[in-house]
Amino acid sequence: MAKTLMKGNEAIGEAAIKAGCRHFFGYPITPQNELPEYMSKRLPEENGSFIQAESEVSAINMVYGAAGSGARVMTSSSSPGISLKQEGISYIAGAEVPCVIVNIVRGGPGLGGIQPAQSDYFQSTKGGGHGDYRLIVYAPASVQELVDLTIEAFDVSDKYRNPAMIFGDGILGQMMEPIEFNKEPIDPSDLPDKEWATTGVGKKGEKSVINSLSLQAEKLEDHNQKLKEKYDKIKANETRYEILHEDAEYFVVACGTTSRLCKNAVKQAREKGINVGMIRPITLWPFPEEAFHKVLDQTKGFLTVEMSNGQMIEDVRLSVNGAAPVEFYGRSGGIIPAPEEILEAIERLQGGDQ
Amino acid sequence: MAKQIFKKPQTMADKKLHYCPGCTHGIIHRLVAEAIDELDESESAIGVAPVGCAVLAYEYFNCDMQQAAHGRAPAVATGIKRVHPKNLVFTYQGDGDLASIGAAEIVHAAARGENISVIFVNNAIYGMTGGQMAPTTLIGQSSTTSQSGRETSVEGYPIQMSEMLATLDGASYISRQSVHNGANIQKTKKAIKKAFEMQMNEEGFSMVEVLSNCPTNWGISPKESVKWIEENMVPKYPLGDVKTPKEVE
């Protein structure tokens, strides 16, 4: 299949269409605007619908309605906009309807800036909205992965009736890379019927209700228990990660764009004789604890590198559980750590251990 | 054998309603269900329940239903309608839901000319949360958050949603009715049916505002409450079609 040069944000849009998504509801915010713009042009060509909603709050609730009605549907935003969507995301998780939410993260808190960041890690993986729920969160590291993981996100979201999130950043959204669409495009009419969806009683013969309300505490606890069992299944089946140099003595831990910078730093460190590898979580939730368990016996130290002041490091520490030192290097506010800075941090990690 | 001349509408579930004694939500539910039956749309209908007293509406209608967050019903209905443009899609919302926290959603659904129908139940107070002031609370009306009566210098003015939405080009049919007596109940039914008919004819956004009571939070008897609608609410919220497209006038 021929490779196409595409901008990250637009590649996500085309991947969604290839995955059978025909509905997109969004609201402009930098640095993700190319995605809704792309969808506004492409979806009408595919007999789909695009609405620029009056707010992020409305956009996510349109997603809720469309997803509850059985369609593959997507929304996208960037950090402050994702905060506004949290109410709807909690309802969507509670009502168990599948959809894909894209967060092209920028620096925060508050209005923050428009430069790339990873500082929405807590918000994405620890809830964000109210209640006991989880999103399936993918952290792609290239435009090709944006494509592949977006398509996967639709499948996994449908499989578990759970919202999935693409956790990107301003660099991934804005940069162009050659990509290929490795899977055959899905025609939404070929997808299996969702018997639970609101399509009108006539089509199914019985009434469907999409709802997240349980006034009786016992019933709500049962529902939360059922959700927990689902999350355990997702943990068991959908955790994704990559390990570089599995036999290394030290490991850098990084995801998304940061992992590419770290890959470079790891290469330089190895050339200098430091036996360092890398663990790259591809799913941020479920977090790949297993990757750490695999290397714990031989590892003298971990270095978590983030475009934040340290959020993923908490999951790394939980996974390592005191078995080895876990150090941190991060830049925030939209500043991208340079491979040289990371290399220095790796050298400090090795030095500190000696 | 006796002939049955009156029965529960097919679109109304055989469930005991949770509403307070004397509340007119039950009547309005019934009118919605009757209109759906008469248009033979019970198999296509998809309703959206609000947050507020009618939060459990998804249990009372015999059709597909989604429950929405406070104020977001028009956005949820938009998503549903874009996926199923041929189905009858309606929201059922109270005044706190529609005129306060969901003001943006209703304005923009109307402005888009979204081909949905909205049943807007206005009882001038927040019912479910215990009688707080609503955007529709009348001047001088007391509530738990305007205990000495709503004062314009403190709480501003009530919002006439129907008149406001009628200014939008996307709004096709806007009508305000009341259920405080038999004659008005019949008129309300006719307006609801017309709103649904217009949607099925793809005429765009339609809304029927229904003046309703709240004996519990108004602190008066059901009998006094219907009189209160007539004497206090109707002068501020005049009844009748507020906007009708030329072709159905």
Side-chain angles (χ1 to χ4, degrees):
Chain A
M1 208 175 270
K3 288 206 170 191
T4 320
L5 188 66
M6 278 191 100
K7 196 173 196 176
N9 283 333
E10 296 180 345
I12 299 170
E14 191 55 38
I17 290 167
K18 296 267 192 293
C21 168
R22 292 293 178 273
H23 303 275
F24 185 99
F25 308 103
Y27 187 78
I29 184 170
T30 306
Q32 60 83 57
N33 290 320
E34 295 81 2
L35 175 46
E37 284 165 358
Y38 186 84
M39 295 308 246
S40 74
K41 180 177 179 294
R42 281 288 284 119
L43 281 172
E45 293 169 0
E46 300 287 339
N47 295 319
S49 67
F50 166 87
I51 299 180
Q52 181 173 316
E54 61 271 25
S55 68
E56 287 89 347
V57 177
S58 277
I60 192 70
N61 281 284
M62 290 173 187
V63 167
Y64 176 45
S69 289
R72 284 196 163 181
V73 51
M74 177 188 257
T75 187
S76 67
S77 194
S78 180
S79 312
I82 294 290
S83 296
L84 284 169
K85 287 182 199 285
Q86 294 301 338
E87 169 197 278
I89 294 172
S90 167
Y91 275 71
I92 287 168
E96 292 189 273
V97 293
C99 67
V100 175
I101 302 148
V102 178
N103 186 4
I104 300 299
V105 184
R106 64 188 232 184
L111 199 49
I114 58 168
Q115 305 297 331
Q118 295 179 319
S119 45
D120 296 354
Y121 182 92
F122 283 153
Q123 186 193 47
S124 311
T125 59
K126 312 289 179 196
H130 58 281
D132 222 348
Y133 75 90
R134 295 290 187 175
L135 299 181
I136 305 158
V137 185
Y138 293 96
S142 65
V143 179
Q144 183 64 56
E145 270 197 355
L146 281 178
V147 167
D148 297 341
L149 293 175
T150 296
I151 295 171
E152 185 168 330
F154 275 102
D155 288 338
V156 173
S157 172
D158 267 359
K159 184 177 169 190
Y160 296 96
R161 290 182 57 180
N162 202 72
M165 177 175 270
I166 301 294
F167 182 92
D169 65 65
I171 299 177
L172 277 180
Q174 294 295 321
M175 75 180 181
M176 292 181 93
E177 284 187 312
I179 51 156
E180 52 189 357
F181 294 97
N182 298 314
K183 284 188 175 173
E184 282 300 307
I186 292 168
D187 183 336
S189 61
D190 293 338
L191 289 167
D193 282 345
K194 294 170 179 169
E195 292 298 325
W196 48 265
T198 57
T199 54
V201 173
K203 289 196 178 162
K204 319 167 291 241
E206 62 182 62
K207 171 179 166 180
S208 298
V209 175
I210 304 295
N211 175 36
S212 61
L213 176 71
S214 282
L215 288 171
Q216 286 171 295
E218 292 78 9
K219 279 195 177 170
L220 184 53
E221 189 180 43
D222 286 349
H223 181 60
N224 281 322
Q225 194 53 36
K226 190 183 134 207
L227 289 179
K228 190 194 171 295
E229 283 159 18
K230 175 169 86 173
Y231 301 145
D232 288 344
K233 258 186 215 161
I234 296 172
K235 254 188 195 174
N237 300 328
E238 309 301 337
T239 305
R240 302 271 308 271
Y241 59 89
E242 180 191 24
I243 306 183
L244 223 63
H245 310 298
E246 204 170 318
D247 56 354
E249 287 179 300
Y250 300 94
F251 280 90
V252 172
V253 189
C255 70
T257 297
T258 312
S259 71
R260 291 174 71 157
L261 303 160
C262 287
K263 213 174 240 186
N264 201 335
V266 164
K267 192 170 167 243
Q268 290 178 38
R270 290 182 73 84
E271 281 165 4
K272 285 187 156 191
I274 304 172
N275 188 8
V276 59
M278 185 169 83
I279 294 177
R280 175 169 78 98
I282 297 173
T283 50
L284 301 183
W285 196 90
F287 191 76
E289 294 162 19
E290 175 194 318
F292 295 86
H293 300 164
K294 270 189 180 176
V295 302
L296 268 187
D297 286 348
Q298 89 243 11
T299 305
K300 294 180 180 167
F302 294 90
L303 172 70
T304 308
V305 184
E306 299 178 53
M307 286 198 285
S308 79
N309 273 340
Q311 299 191 13
M312 186 173 73
I313 187 171
E314 295 193 3
D315 282 333
V316 175
R317 285 204 169 118
L318 284 172
S319 305
V320 172
N321 202 18
V326 178
E327 301 298 329
F328 177 74
Y329 184 73
R331 298 299 300 268
S332 76
I335 293 175
I336 304 151
E340 296 71 32
E341 296 167 33
I342 301 168
L343 177 62
E344 282 172 25
I346 294 171
E347 286 170 336
R348 280 199 299 275
L349 173 75
Q350 189 200 25
D353 179 58
Q354 283 169 348
Chain B
M1 207 172 131
K3 190 180 165 193
Q4 188 177 26
I5 56 164
F6 195 72
K7 61 176 181 180
K8 194 182 268 285
Q10 189 196 321
T11 310
M12 190 90 190
D14 200 10
K15 282 219 162 189
K16 203 171 171 183
L17 302 178
H18 72 280
Y19 298 111
C20 299
C23 169
T24 53
H25 262 305
I27 295 171
I28 305 165
H29 277 16
R30 185 184 170 100
L31 299 180
V32 171
E34 282 179 0
I36 294 172
D37 278 10
E38 288 172 24
L39 296 170
D40 199 20
E41 292 294 345
S42 66
E43 295 204 337
S44 94
I46 305 172
V48 183
V51 167
C53 292
V55 68
L56 296 174
Y58 57 82
E59 291 195 351
Y60 302 144
F61 290 108
N62 258 340
C63 63
D64 279 4
M65 295 289 293
Q66 292 201 31
Q67 197 284 320
H70 39 214
R72 319 296 176 224
V76 174
T78 297
I80 298 170
K81 190 69 180 185
R82 296 293 172 129
V83 175
H84 301 298
K86 299 288 178 201
N87 290 51
L88 174 72
V89 178
F90 69 96
T91 71
Y92 188 102
Q93 302 176 257
D95 43 64
D97 187 87
L98 180 140
S100 189
I101 198 165
E105 281 77 7
I106 194 68
V107 166
H108 288 272
R112 280 193 304 273
E114 205 64 51
N115 195 33
I116 58 172
S117 304
V118 172
I119 311 302
F120 167 38
V121 181
N122 178 4
N123 62 6
I125 207 158
Y126 279 74
M128 191 201 229
T129 46
Q132 296 84 3
M133 193 187 76
T136 48
T137 295
L138 298 175
I139 295 164
Q141 185 184 342
S142 60
S143 74
T144 59
T145 50
S146 59
Q147 297 193 11
S148 51
R150 183 177 189 165
E151 283 181 56
T152 56
S153 61
V154 181
E155 288 106 357
Y157 297 84
I159 304 178
Q160 291 162 300
M161 287 306 296
S162 288
E163 285 79 356
M164 193 170 109
L165 295 176
T167 64
L168 300 169
D169 290 340
S172 185
Y173 175 58
I174 307 277
S175 184
R176 184 186 289 117
Q177 303 295 336
S178 174
V179 286
H180 68 277
N181 61 31
N184 280 291
I185 288 171
Q186 289 311 310
K187 284 184 193 165
T188 303
K189 160 79 176 295
K190 211 174 140 197
I192 292 172
K193 196 171 166 187
K194 190 192 272 187
F196 288 167
E197 271 171 344
M198 291 195 50
Q199 184 191 153
M200 297 320 282
N201 293 334
E202 298 177 13
E203 304 260 7
F205 181 86
S206 54
M207 182 177 91
V208 181
E209 175 176 348
V210 185
L211 301 186
S212 177
N213 63 349
C214 186
T216 301
N217 289 303
W218 291 354
I220 53 180
S221 72
K223 199 176 165 188
E224 286 169 321
S225 75
V226 289
K227 205 171 147 217
W228 200 88
I229 292 177
E230 186 161 27
E231 290 176 356
N232 296 283
M233 287 186 76
V234 173
K236 176 65 190 171
Y237 301 112
L239 304 181
D241 289 345
V242 184
K243 186 176 189 184
T244 314
K246 286 192 178 76
E247 53 268 33
V248 295
E249 265 171 8

